[in-house]
Amino acid sequence: MFKKLIIFLLFPIVTLSQIESSIKIKVAMMQNCVKKGVEGETLFWQTKGKITYAIVDYTEEQNPIFKDLFINQYRELLTIYKKMILSEDEKDTDLYVKTLIRQEDDFRNLLTIDQLKKYSEKLTFFKKSNPQANESYSSLFFSDELLAEYKTKFSYKK
């Protein structure tokens, strides 16, 4: 029931199943982290770090940068998530989604050209050939196609 309420609040007009499905997964991931209490932050940044490291193979210099990025992303999302859940206000929900989009851009901007290419190719590969892996990755990341779709639907501007 709770998840359906979130989806209803998020998408009163949008009916594209790809976006609906991905936002359910993204909210569920955040909800899972929040339920872990103080361990939720560690779960969030370590999961994002391990997944992306396996794809793009960070350099030693990049490791602490990405760790800090993912910790700060969680903290920012946590504040917005809690407000969104309590208020059930469309503006808070919109802010949450736009924050997810910006955070994806922030991450991508730190990757080298080769790393970004690997990242994009891997997410595209999972979308086409491994729905289960795609769902897992979609809980924290955006494929190029999905990111473009979100930016269009939410009129995202930097």
Side-chain angles (χ1 to χ4, degrees):
M1 172 85 175
F2 176 71
K3 289 180 185 176
K4 288 180 183 177
L5 177 62
I6 292 291
I7 297 306
F8 177 75
L9 291 171
L10 288 173
F11 299 101
I13 299 171
V14 178
T15 59
L16 293 171
S17 65
Q18 184 179 8
I19 288 181
E20 289 177 13
S21 174
S22 73
I23 198 64
K24 283 180 189 178
I25 294 165
K26 290 176 186 314
V27 170
M29 175 60 178
M30 189 66 187
Q31 190 175 31
N32 185 46
C33 290
V34 170
K35 284 181 183 178
K36 301 282 185 189
V38 292
E39 295 174 10
E41 179 180 295
T42 303
L43 174 65
F44 184 88
W45 76 258
Q46 284 184 349
T47 303
K48 282 189 94 163
K50 287 176 183 175
I51 289 172
T52 54
Y53 179 80
I55 296 172
V56 302
D57 194 25
Y58 303 146
T59 64
E60 284 298 315
E61 295 80 26
Q62 287 176 307
N63 275 327
I65 294 167
F66 286 113
K67 178 181 177 182
D68 289 344
L69 175 71
F70 297 148
I71 288 170
N72 290 329
Q73 285 181 343
Y74 179 77
R75 290 175 182 171
E76 179 183 28
L77 279 177
L78 180 61
T79 301
I80 298 166
Y81 172 83
K82 286 180 177 180
K83 185 176 181 199
M84 176 185 77
I85 296 303
L86 289 174
S87 74
E88 298 182 6
D89 187 325
E90 215 172 303
K91 290 178 185 176
D92 294 330
T93 302
D94 193 52
L95 176 61
Y96 185 81
V97 172
K98 287 181 177 181
T99 301
L100 289 171
I101 295 167
R102 183 191 42 78
Q103 287 182 348
E104 178 72 12
D105 282 340
D106 292 346
F107 168 70
R108 288 170 176 240
N109 288 335
L110 292 173
L111 296 173
T112 66
I113 293 169
D114 289 339
Q115 288 172 327
L116 183 57
K117 183 179 177 197
K118 286 180 188 178
Y119 177 73
S120 294
E121 287 172 352
K122 187 61 108 175
L123 293 180
T124 299
F125 170 78
F126 284 136
K127 184 174 190 250
K128 290 179 180 177
S129 64
N130 190 337
Q132 194 171 23
N134 183 57
E135 188 172 301
S136 295
Y137 281 89
S138 293
S139 70
L140 293 166
F141 305 103
F142 291 84
S143 66
D144 294 341
E145 178 185 315
L146 189 58
L147 184 60
E149 190 75 28
Y150 265 72
K151 286 181 177 181
T152 300
K153 297 299 178 202
F154 290 94
S155 304
Y156 178 78
K157 296 176 182 130
K158 282 188 174 184

